[in-house]
Amino acid sequence: MLQFTVPGMTCGGCANAIRKSLAAVPGITAIQADPPDRRLAVEGDVGADLIVRTLADAGYDATPIA
């Protein structure tokens, strides 16, 4: 599971937009967005760089959590 901080994810609408963007990425099998903590968890066969780029295209900065 890859985890990220997403400072701009402040509400349920943001979380839905993020889920929608990531749902289009092949290989992702699960997405958990937590707006109050501004954290995102993604499962699947996909790299962190692709997730960061996809979120940037959707207007959100994301930083992987080591």
Side-chain angles (χ1 to χ4, degrees):
M1 177 183 304
L2 299 172
Q3 296 188 4
F4 303 84
T5 57
V6 185
M9 181 175 55
T10 58
C11 66
C14 297
N16 287 337
I18 286 169
R19 284 188 201 99
K20 184 177 179 181
S21 294
L22 292 175
V25 177
I28 292 179
T29 58
I31 303 162
Q32 296 175 339
D34 184 8
D37 290 334
R38 295 184 174 104
R39 294 200 177 227
L40 174 70
V42 179
E43 291 185 39
D45 186 21
V46 63
D49 290 343
L50 178 57
I51 293 170
V52 169
R53 283 194 311 268
T54 301
L55 292 178
D57 289 346
Y60 295 93
D61 290 326
T63 304
I65 300 172

